[in-house]
Amino acid sequence: MKKVRWGILSTAKIAQKSLIPAFERAQNAVVAGIASGSGKAEEIAAQFNIEKSYTSYEDMLQDPEIDAVYIPLPNHLHKKWTLEAANHGKHVLCEKPASLTADETKEMVEYCREKNVKFMEAFMYQFHPQHERVREIIKSGEIGEVKFMRASFSFSLAQWEGNIKTDPEKGGGSLYDVGCYAIHAIRNITGAEPVEVHVHANMDPDYRVDTSAFGYMQMENGVHAHFDCSFDMAFRAEYEVIGTAGQIKVPRAFRPDNHEGEGLIIVQTETGTREERIVADIYREEVEHISQVILEDGVPSYTGENAIQNMRVIEACYESIHSGKIIKLV
């Protein structure tokens, strides 16, 4: 099978822990090179048996043997290196959030399209089939008409000092880091866009980032939604959907990989409670999807327009945090 030759821009922990192993498991992709300005690329290349290492990102992008790049850089660098990659004819898988604003994301998507390269924001959770199963259950009418959805993603951040997650200049904050998942899930599962948002946050006076955020969204289809995200609460990565006749709980929504890939769906109705378990390798699924899109000159299931819209909602949430007002998106 033909394989897409990927380059990794940086030796970020997520690349080492999750993505490089996923590329190794993938049938249609291979990591052909890794680049780092810190001098660690050669060490990581040896560790993962990667053929090439580069001392600069530019050197990798100039290599004709690299077809595509994965960008796990700090949020504020996503736009710069996506544009640079596209300029060198490299396809792009870019970590979430795609950038810091909807306009930046739009520029990235349009430039990649202009340069005839594929772009996808790396929301890996959505490639787990448990979410499609949730949509099937909703469509079946088993829980009645959906009225409300809640999504939560929180964890206790161990290291604050010197962490990019707590640096406002680098796109730090809980909303950018994990709130983006909750917002994406609400849009993804309800199949609707918010028409207004109202968000409150705890802002750290020293780090000047939101350590927690609590939001309300009214969706265009009448569904009401709440989300919360945090750096200083117990680990949760879940959502639930409430209908007129029952509810669906997904307690492993965003990190089923913590449970060896096993997703869990709990359906509760008047007739009783049942559990459905589905196993999948979300990082491999993500890698194989975008690689197949590249090989077949197709369109990612998660489009650039969808990524732009997710950033538009995140922007509105930050506007609400800073103004204290309800922000309308239409």
Side-chain angles (χ1 to χ4, degrees):
M1 176 182 287
K2 183 172 172 58
K3 294 186 177 185
V4 177
R5 298 166 300 180
W6 286 86
I8 312 293
L9 254 64
S10 99
T11 56
K13 286 183 180 179
I14 189 172
Q16 295 183 50
K17 182 181 177 182
S18 301
L19 268 297
I20 294 175
F23 280 109
E24 290 176 337
R25 297 191 299 271
Q27 296 295 307
N28 58 359
V30 62
V31 177
I34 186 166
S36 175
S38 67
K40 294 181 181 179
E42 187 175 355
E43 173 191 342
I44 302 303
Q47 179 183 335
F48 288 98
N49 198 29
I50 298 170
E51 181 181 352
K52 295 183 179 182
S53 62
Y54 310 80
T55 56
S56 75
Y57 302 150
E58 290 88 348
D59 286 348
M60 172 183 279
L61 295 179
Q62 290 171 6
D63 188 340
E65 294 187 351
I66 299 295
D67 302 317
V69 294
Y70 166 61
I71 302 177
L73 294 166
N75 299 337
H76 71 300
L77 296 176
H78 289 179
K79 174 188 168 183
K80 171 182 171 60
W81 289 105
T82 292
L83 298 184
E84 288 284 349
N87 201 43
H88 285 82
K90 312 301 185 189
H91 306 284
V92 176
L93 176 64
C94 180
E95 263 307 326
K96 39 54 58 183
S99 65
L100 301 182
T101 68
D103 282 346
E104 282 188 0
T105 305
K106 183 179 180 183
E107 184 179 348
M108 292 157 66
V109 170
E110 291 181 348
Y111 193 70
C112 285
R113 194 165 289 149
E114 178 186 326
K115 294 296 181 178
N116 198 31
V117 299
K118 309 302 178 184
F119 171 87
M120 191 173 81
E121 184 181 20
F123 266 116
M124 81 301 181
Y125 92 94
Q126 66 185 311
F127 289 94
H128 198 290
Q130 65 180 335
H131 309 295
E132 180 59 33
R133 177 61 184 141
V134 168
R135 289 191 292 267
E136 288 175 359
I137 295 168
I138 291 170
K139 188 175 180 180
S140 76
E142 184 177 0
I143 66 165
E145 182 184 355
V146 173
K147 293 291 186 178
F148 176 70
M149 181 170 175
R150 177 189 63 81
S152 303
F153 201 163
S154 65
F155 66 99
S156 185
L157 185 63
Q159 179 188 344
W160 290 69
E161 187 66 32
N163 194 324
I164 59 172
K165 296 179 187 294
T166 59
D167 188 337
E169 303 303 319
K170 295 180 179 178
S174 65
L175 185 57
Y176 274 138
D177 191 57
V178 285
C180 60
Y181 285 90
I183 290 167
H184 187 277
I186 291 168
R187 297 177 50 246
N188 187 27
I189 297 302
T190 64
E193 298 295 342
V195 294
E196 65 179 42
V197 300
H198 194 196
V199 186
H200 298 276
N202 296 335
M203 302 294 294
D204 188 280
D206 298 320
Y207 292 100
R208 296 179 293 114
V209 296
D210 55 292
T211 58
S212 297
F214 310 88
Y216 163 76
M217 299 195 294
Q218 181 168 346
M219 311 305 286
E220 60 190 347
N221 60 358
V223 172
H224 297 269
H226 289 171
F227 74 84
D228 67 88
C229 54
S230 181
F231 287 160
D232 56 13
M233 291 197 289
F235 180 81
R236 297 167 304 142
E238 62 193 29
Y239 64 74
E240 61 180 334
V241 184
I242 314 297
T244 53
Q247 61 183 308
I248 304 169
K249 295 182 179 180
V250 185
R252 303 172 183 173
F254 306 123
R255 294 303 306 271
D257 52 306
N258 288 347
H259 302 270
E260 298 184 338
E262 184 182 72
L264 175 61
I265 301 169
I266 304 169
V267 183
Q268 297 176 313
T269 65
E270 291 181 358
T271 60
T273 300
R274 76 168 190 281
E275 294 184 356
E276 297 186 15
R277 298 171 186 268
I278 306 171
V279 177
D281 184 345
I282 52 174
Y283 286 105
R284 175 181 170 178
E285 294 282 350
E286 176 184 63
V287 165
E288 289 189 337
H289 175 74
I290 186 60
S291 296
Q292 202 60 32
V293 165
I294 291 167
L295 291 171
E296 296 178 352
D297 191 22
V299 178
S301 59
Y302 180 48
T303 65
E305 285 69 27
N306 200 330
I308 294 166
Q309 182 60 20
N310 211 60
M311 283 307 311
R312 184 169 175 249
V313 178
I314 292 170
E315 263 194 297
C317 290
Y318 272 118
E319 185 180 349
S320 181
I321 288 170
H322 296 309
S323 69
K325 297 177 179 178
I326 296 172
I327 304 301
K328 296 188 180 297
L329 283 93
V330 292

